[in-house]
Every structure is written in C-alpha cells, then in structure tokens.
Amino acid sequence: MSVDVSWDVDKYREEYESEEHWNLRRAFIKRWKDDYPEERLVCLAQVFANIEFMGCRYPLETMQEVARLSQDIATKYRKEKKTKLQRTFVSASDAAEDRAKGIKREGGVIKDAPSSKSKKIEFVKQGESKNLEDIPKTDEIANSDNELSEIIENENGKESTEVSDEKVSNDVSKEDLKTALFNTYVEEISKIRCLDIRCFNRNMFMTSFGKFVLLIRSWAPKMSNIQGSSVASHLQLQSTYENNILTVTLNGKFLAQASSSVKTIARKNVETIAWNKLCEEAIILFVKEQWIAHEDRQISMSEVSGKKQYEFGTPIDSSVATKMMKLMGWKGGGLGADAQGIAEPIKPTLQMVNRAGLGSISSDIHQLRRKGMEMMKRFAASEQLDVDLVFSNEFSSEERSALHLCARKAGLVSRSYGVDADRFLVVKKKFNVFSTVEAVVEKGGSTPKYTVYIPASIEHR
C-alpha cells in the first residue's frame, strides 16, 4: 500500500497552540509525511511535542522510535532556543571604536570586520599533540566494546548512528532506558532453551553465515547489537530496499526480509525476524556492564602522579639485570645459596634537575605518562577479564590526552565519557568476541561482566 501525501499539514494546528510549539510539531510532520500514514504520523508528532515540552514518558519502543525520528529536528530547535533570547548591548565608546576599526554589528553581534592577523604557529614535537582528547575516537570506533560502532542504514541509504540512550530527549532518564533495555533482554533470553555450559565446543561458533557470536550489549538496541555482532565476528551485514521490500544479508547469505511501503516499518519487522533467527543459530555473549572499575573505584590523580601507590597485577620486570639473573636460574627472593642476601636490587640515587621554564607543566605530564604507562602495562599483562581502568574526572583534558597515548602504546583501548567537569576516562583491553566466550566458559559461563548462553538448537554441531 502507498502512503497518501495529499493531506494538508496545517489543518492539525490547534487553536490554543503557540507558534513555537506548532512550528516544531509541523517540522516533524513535514519531515516524515512521505514515509508514515497520516494518523500514525500525527500521533507520533504529538508524542514528540509532549516529550520535548512537558517531559512526558511513553513505552520504551515508542520513546526510541520518536527519538530516532526527531533527532535532527530536536537538535536544531535546541540550538535556536539557546541563541533566541541572547542579546548583546554595545556602549557608545565601543560603538565609536568599532567605526574606527571598520567593524559592523547587527543587534550587538559582529557581522562584518576586517580579517584579523594570523595566529602565531605553535610547533609541537613529533608524536605529541596540544590536545589529543578526541583523537583516540578513531581507535574506539575500530575496537568498540571496545565500543562496537552502532551503525544502521537510515531512510536515505546513508550510514547514521542508531538511537542510543545519549540521543534520547534530555527529559528522559538515560538510566531508566538502560534498565528497561536490560530487563527486556533478560526476559527474552530466559525464554530460550539453553544447554549446560559444559557442552560448549568451538564448532558451535559456526553458523550458516560463518563463524559468528550474537553479542548482546544490555544498553544498546537490537539493530545496533546485530550490527555490532557482525563487526565483532568479522562478517558483513548489508541491507537493500527495493519495491517496498527490505532484505538483509549476513556474510552474503539471506538473513531476513520484510515488506512495507513505509521503510521504517519494514526495518522494524526485519529487525525482529533477524533477531529471532540469530538467537536460535548462534552462541550468545551477554554483556551486562559497559565497564567495571578495578576494585570498584576510580583512579585518582594522586595515584597516577606518584603521591600514592596504585598497584594493578604483578609489576613488569623491565630491568636488564633481573632478566639476566632469571636466565641463570634465579627465581626471585634473596640472593645467595640460602636466599640470605638482599631481595631488592640497589637503586641509584639521581638528582633530577628541572630545566623547564616558569609556568611549565611538562615535568608533571612526563611523570603522568611514566606512571600511566607502567600501570597500563601491568593491566595489559594481567589475566583480569571483567575489570577496566577508570580514571576519575580530576584529570584535565591534556592529562587525559597523555593517558590516551599511554593506552594506545600499551595495546589497549581508551575512551572518554561525560562532559565538561564530569568527563572521565575508561581504559579497556582490546576485545575479541570468540576468545572472550571461551574465557567466560572456562569460568563457569558467567562473570560479573559477561554471561554465555548456548541455545539448545545448536547442540549437535
């Protein structure tokens, strides 16, 4: 069936509705008029307005659908709202100075001014950056869960980020959405008949699509998890929408298909079909927590700066003398036949001279890098499966940048979360979905962060 687009949008404006409210609702309706039936679209537009202006809440699926449809419109509206009432008043003396300098203003805002001089070029040493806070995001995309990229096709055939809790209206609690998603997944998994974890063998990784694990991140929507699973399993997920039929393939093989003249409806139906099929065909790795801090606490600045001692795992032996002694049979402890000698090597006493100029913080950053690198090497060498390094929000942008570099050099993955003064850093080990499943199985099938489920339908592989 085709969607009737001949109806008049403006007939739905209420007499009591303000210009601001109606313009936002009208923009929503006009954006999706060609894709949704009239009654459903008007209803969704009203839900959007209720969420945006009154903070109303609706069932999780409705909230997610409205958040996805309203993303661009809501972002534009909020930006306009921030600047709408901002006015700048210019004193008479400033106005005279502006005329002398050739500066023109409208409403107090500079509209035209002579080009300013070029800023002085700041030279940076090779391998360093003035601010690398956001640079590691390229690694984060490649190693996501490490965060696995949550990408789907939008109505225009381009790639866009799937609706996540961070993109839902500010009036909606992120924690409420995460809790609802978590409970939904737990309920669905409980309905799947599963084998005893001791029945696991590596042949169970093989599905009709190839070697695959269904990775369920409890905070992400289903389509994001399907895409994330294909990325983690190194298989390609593709979709085509032709003649009102949406077809999804995994590794070049048919996965699911649904028909509808409204692509969003077809995609929702395909998501359900694909999800149910993969739940029957593949081992499930359920990720319960996005990260778990080591010792359930965040690492403070004093612990990295050297004022306090933060130990993680066994210290890495980097001393050449220590390595040579081990090659000659020394296994640690005191020296001598009866281990009666000293246990710790004699450390030289060096007088360090700070040659940095006034106001320089390079020595502090150097100390931070050295301590951070040592800590992350211990973390990388440890056998810890569940925990991550979570650095508190005490660290500045430049200090987080230094820790990002340390993580990269140590073969780890890092990402910053939060905004402004609440921004903090999480460092994780690189994620391999197959080895993680095997490690969790060895620990009995469940750990604080992961649980493995083996559907009974794959018993005889």
Side-chain angles (χ1 to χ4, degrees), residues 197-208:
I197 201 69
R198 291 171 292 183
C199 298
F200 169 79
N201 66 76
R202 292 182 178 177
N203 291 333
M204 291 178 172
F205 285 138
M206 295 305 301
T207 68
S208 59

Side-chain angles (χ1 to χ4, degrees), residues 40 44 58-67 177 184 188 222 268 271-272:
R40 177 171 174 77
L44 288 172
Y58 297 88
L60 178 63
E61 290 188 359
T62 303
M63 298 285 279
Q64 288 180 336
E65 183 177 8
V66 171
L177 284 175
T184 299
E188 289 192 7
K222 288 181 179 178
K268 189 66 178 175
E271 176 189 87
T272 302

Side-chain angles (χ1 to χ4, degrees), residues 171-317:
D171 296 325
V172 182
S173 168
K174 298 177 185 178
E175 291 305 318
D176 286 348
L177 284 175
K178 285 185 177 181
T179 301
L181 273 172
F182 183 93
N183 293 336
T184 299
Y185 285 129
V186 170
E187 183 180 355
E188 289 192 7
I189 293 173
S190 66
K191 296 177 182 178
I192 301 173
R193 192 166 68 88
C194 296
L195 301 174
D196 189 299
I197 201 69
R198 291 171 292 183
C199 298
F200 169 79
N201 66 76
R202 292 182 178 177
N203 291 333
M204 291 178 172
F205 285 138
M206 295 305 301
T207 68
S208 59
F209 308 100
K211 192 176 181 182
F212 181 83
V213 169
L214 180 57
L215 181 66
I216 302 180
R217 294 160 295 157
S218 62
W219 59 91
K222 288 181 179 178
M223 185 56 78
S224 275
N225 280 327
I226 293 173
Q227 175 67 17
S229 301
S230 66
V231 173
S233 302
H234 308 293
L235 302 180
Q236 188 173 17
L237 185 74
Q238 291 183 316
S239 65
T240 56
Y241 185 64
E242 296 178 355
N243 300 323
N244 294 335
I245 298 176
L246 181 62
T247 304
V248 178
T249 61
L250 180 59
N251 200 27
K253 298 181 180 179
F254 175 81
L255 174 60
Q257 189 176 75
S259 60
S260 175
S261 58
V262 182
K263 189 177 180 181
T264 51
I265 296 176
R267 188 173 60 189
K268 189 66 178 175
N269 293 337
V270 159
E271 176 189 87
T272 302
I273 296 169
W275 184 261
N276 293 336
K277 189 171 183 179
L278 292 174
C279 283
E280 293 180 357
E281 280 214 33
I283 287 177
I284 297 171
L285 178 62
F286 184 49
V287 188
K288 293 173 278 190
E289 299 287 348
Q290 199 165 4
W291 63 77
I292 298 178
H294 178 233
E295 297 181 350
D296 198 27
R297 66 184 183 86
Q298 296 185 348
I299 302 169
S300 67
M301 168 62 79
S302 59
E303 290 172 315
V304 183
S305 63
K307 295 177 182 178
K308 291 183 180 180
Q309 189 66 22
Y310 183 88
E311 296 290 345
F312 190 103
T314 305
I316 304 298
D317 290 329

Side-chain angles (χ1 to χ4, degrees), residues 50-61:
N50 291 346
I51 293 173
E52 188 68 29
F53 294 117
M54 294 184 289
C56 297
R57 295 187 180 184
Y58 297 88
L60 178 63
E61 290 188 359

